[in-house]
């Protein structure tokens, strides 16, 4: 059971890497656009994060406050991606504040996972 949990953690990290990597490519190219790959990475991170929030295969108590904060940040990322993608389809561009907030919130969420024990 522990190996399965480690595989889910690995997939969770890959989800955030895909989200942040896709965002970073757009940032370096100086294009404020949301891509489908960002949404895919966010979805992978969300699904695996919810699976990790279940107390299976561990012998310690989960930190539900941390999990709640991470969920709120992930929901904010999803909302911004959804709003920004709709605006991008309608107007052809994304406001820079929405674009940069995705990168900041993604780094925040990864930082919470690593630093907060």
């Amino acid at each position: 059971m522990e190996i399965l949990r480690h595989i889910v953690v690995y997939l969770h990290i890959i989800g955030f890497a895909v989200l942040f990597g896709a965002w970073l490519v757009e940032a370096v190219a100086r294009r404020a656009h949301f891509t489908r790959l960002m949404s895919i990475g966010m979805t992978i991170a969300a699904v695996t994060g919810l699976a990790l929030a279940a107390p299976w295969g561990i012998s310690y108590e989960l930190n539900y406050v941390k999990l709640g904060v991470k969920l709120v940040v992930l929901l904010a990322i999803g909302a911004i991606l959804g709003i920004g993608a709709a605006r991008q389809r309608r107007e052809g561009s994304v406001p820079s504040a929405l674009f940069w907030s995705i990168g900041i919130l993604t780094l925040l969420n990864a930082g919470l996972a690593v630093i907060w024990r």
Side-chain angles (χ1 to χ4, degrees):
M1 187 65 94
E2 185 177 340
I3 291 173
L4 180 60
R5 185 167 182 82
H6 288 300
I7 291 170
V8 175
V9 169
Y10 180 63
L11 292 173
H12 187 62
I13 293 168
I14 288 173
F16 275 113
V18 168
L19 171 59
F20 187 72
W23 176 85
L24 190 61
V25 166
E26 294 298 315
V28 168
R30 297 180 187 241
R31 293 183 302 235
H33 292 297
F34 290 152
T35 63
R36 180 122 172 101
L37 198 54
M38 290 180 194
S39 297
I40 291 170
M42 193 265 321
T43 303
I44 292 169
V47 170
T48 56
L50 290 174
L52 289 171
W56 53 278
I58 59 171
S59 59
Y60 54 88
E61 188 76 22
L62 290 172
N63 186 346
Y64 289 108
V65 175
K66 172 186 169 180
L67 294 173
V69 170
K70 283 182 57 60
L71 179 62
V72 167
V73 172
L74 189 68
L75 289 174
I77 291 170
I80 292 169
L81 275 175
I83 292 167
R87 192 164 183 179
Q88 182 175 300
R89 278 191 300 267
R90 190 175 56 239
E91 297 175 10
S93 66
V94 175
S96 62
L98 288 180
F99 178 76
W100 287 100
S101 65
I102 292 295
I104 292 166
L105 288 174
T106 302
L107 285 178
L108 172 68
N109 217 359
L112 288 172
V114 173
I115 296 169
W116 190 350
R117 291 283 168 187

